[in-house]
Amino acid sequence: MHITRPSEPPAREALSSAIVPKSRRDPRLDFFRGLGMLIILTAHIPDNTWILWIPARFGFSDATEMFVFLSGMASAIAFGRVFDRDGFARGTGRVARRVWQIYWIHVAVFVVIAALAAAAGTRPGGESYIVELNLPHFFADPMGLLPRFLVLAYVPNYFDILPMYLVILALMPAMILAERLHKALPFVLMAAIWGLTQAHLLDLPAEPWSDRSWFFDPFGWQLLFYLGFFLMRRTLPAPGFSRALIVLAALFVLATVPFAYYRILEASPFFGGWAQALAPLTDKTHFGILRLVHFLALAYLAVQLVGPGGARLQGAAVTVISKVGQQTLAVFVSGMVTAQLLGMALDHTGRDPFTVAAANLAGFGVLVVVAYAVAWFKGMPARTAGTPAPESA
């Protein structure tokens, strides 16, 4: 997509205008975030055969990249404009409040899912749900691990995306300050942090009984988040339409398929060997560079596919998916719980094509209902006529 800069308005006005007008949401942002939420739900349902058809099976990047990149773009609208309009202190306070909210959501989600696993007990075959979620240590020593969990020194695998996100958000004041000092400085800072991560110098411990680090290293993934952030702020110019870029992006995406598609890897020692050799560059934990290149190629193709400003995003399905994308935090945490419930249900019904399809579609339905319900609650007036306004928080 090609963005033309307005002719030198006042600095604050220019920064607050971003890529999309204030009066209209960018349909591409909402649609692709919603699509990402549906894919993430599919990936989280235990032993779900539909995961054989999600993007992660055909390339280096997956829906996580979509979620993180678009969250960066959305944050440029939600928080970047506060920094520009109300000043650095108020912007920092707004970010701190959001980090605080996400922290307690993370705690609540862990408690709910851990309680659910404990209540569910075992699968029909005898396998423990607590073991499958890698929580035996927690239930064996809750007094010892709960303090570590609360300071993010204990981060079980299934519960690692929100901690990653809150650490990335906490970096925002530093990134904004770097941008104000020099337009190129935040990119130097992003690259330096990412480089230290590739050398395993910023690994965060995930549990005290092993050397396992966080599965999603925030210092690696911040690179993608802030690329989206500064793209939306126009600090990073967006590439325009180019047939050459389309061809290069398409060729790269197609070339990665043999190194990611499981049937090819199983059948071909050549591609299997090369996939292992490329593993440091496709590493999901530290966000390897080939994941970035693959995602950017896909993103460029997607932008061209939906047309200027998302003009081709039309129809009822687009409307529903976009609504899901407008409420990603509520949808995501609801999806984490829903995925576990659906997995438990499938353990009892069996996983034939019909029941698996029913479970996935039911999960999609839950996310849609949550999105519309949250939007309805957000749309309610803060107070009715004649009711005194509540004191500000």
Side-chain angles (χ1 to χ4, degrees):
M1 58 184 172
H2 180 65
I3 312 288
T4 55
R5 292 180 177 270
S7 57
E8 299 299 318
R12 180 169 292 181
E13 181 182 348
L15 286 171
S16 64
S17 61
I19 283 181
V20 293
K22 291 182 181 179
S23 59
R24 181 175 180 268
R25 298 181 68 100
D26 190 324
R28 297 166 296 184
L29 186 61
D30 291 337
F31 174 77
F32 286 113
R33 285 208 298 175
L35 187 62
M37 290 297 98
L38 300 181
I39 297 171
I40 288 172
L41 172 74
T42 301
H44 278 166
I45 298 175
D47 300 323
N48 183 12
T49 55
W50 278 27
I51 65 170
L52 299 177
W53 304 103
I54 63 176
R57 297 295 171 266
F58 301 94
F60 299 143
S61 66
D62 56 31
T64 310
E65 278 82 0
M66 192 185 306
F67 172 77
V68 172
F69 181 77
L70 295 176
S71 293
M73 299 186 79
S75 294
I77 299 172
F79 303 110
R81 289 175 177 172
V82 178
F83 279 97
D84 299 332
R85 183 183 64 243
D86 301 326
F88 186 81
R90 189 173 291 273
T92 300
R94 178 75 175 271
V95 171
R97 183 176 69 177
R98 189 59 165 173
V99 167
W100 184 245
Q101 291 171 341
I102 293 173
Y103 171 80
W104 286 109
I105 291 172
H106 166 64
V107 172
V109 169
F110 176 80
V111 170
V112 169
I113 295 180
L116 180 63
T122 61
R123 283 181 166 187
E127 302 90 347
S128 169
Y129 288 112
I130 289 174
V131 171
E132 289 190 356
L133 284 170
N134 194 26
L135 297 178
H137 288 89
F138 178 79
F139 281 94
D141 183 23
M143 298 299 288
L145 285 178
L146 186 57
R148 289 180 176 271
F149 174 79
L150 292 176
V151 298
L152 303 181
Y154 169 53
V155 182
N157 272 343
Y158 190 71
F159 307 93
D160 41 23
I161 291 185
L162 291 179
M164 172 193 71
Y165 187 49
L166 66 86
V167 171
I168 290 175
L169 278 180
L171 294 172
M172 191 178 297
M175 293 297 178
I176 290 289
L177 183 59
E179 181 192 38
R180 291 184 175 183
L181 293 174
H182 193 282
K183 296 298 183 183
L185 190 55
F187 302 103
V188 174
L189 182 60
M190 290 155 53
I193 294 173
W194 179 84
L196 291 172
T197 303
Q198 303 312 300
H200 298 262
L201 297 177
L202 298 177
D203 288 358
L204 297 172
E207 54 196 22
W209 59 86
S210 77
D211 59 358
R212 184 176 71 85
S213 60
W214 288 19
F215 183 75
F216 289 105
D217 189 314
F219 302 114
W221 284 84
Q222 57 80 29
L223 178 65
L224 183 62
F225 180 94
Y226 284 106
L227 283 175
F229 183 86
F230 288 114
L231 177 67
M232 183 60 83
R233 284 176 64 78
R234 299 187 187 181
T235 309
L236 177 67
F241 175 81
S242 166
R243 287 186 176 85
L245 270 180
I246 291 174
V247 171
L248 285 174
L251 288 175
F252 183 82
V253 168
L254 291 174
T256 64
V257 173
F259 301 97
Y261 186 49
Y262 74 103
R263 292 200 181 278
I264 294 177
L265 296 179
E266 290 173 353
S268 171
F270 173 81
F271 286 112
W274 270 104
Q276 290 183 351
L278 293 173
L281 303 179
T282 62
D283 178 35
K284 190 168 187 175
T285 291
H286 300 93
F287 191 56
I289 190 64
L290 287 182
R291 298 187 71 93
L292 174 63
V293 177
H294 183 263
F295 171 76
L296 293 179
L298 274 177
Y300 185 77
L301 292 174
V303 167
Q304 304 309 317
L305 183 64
V306 300
R312 298 192 186 101
L313 291 173
Q314 304 289 336
V318 169
T319 300
V320 172
I321 293 173
S322 297
K323 181 64 69 174
V324 172
Q326 292 170 11
Q327 311 296 339
T328 49
L329 183 57
V331 165
F332 176 76
V333 297
S334 300
M336 290 183 70
V337 177
T338 300
Q340 290 302 309
L341 288 170
L342 291 172
M344 292 172 183
L346 287 171
D347 289 340
H348 291 275
T349 63
R351 285 174 167 78
D352 60 73
F354 175 79
T355 56
V356 169
N360 281 277
L361 294 176
F364 296 164
V366 169
L367 300 194
V368 170
V369 169
V370 168
Y372 275 92
V374 171
W376 182 78
F377 279 110
K378 286 183 177 181
M380 294 177 66
R383 62 190 179 97
T384 57
T387 303
E391 295 182 6
S392 60

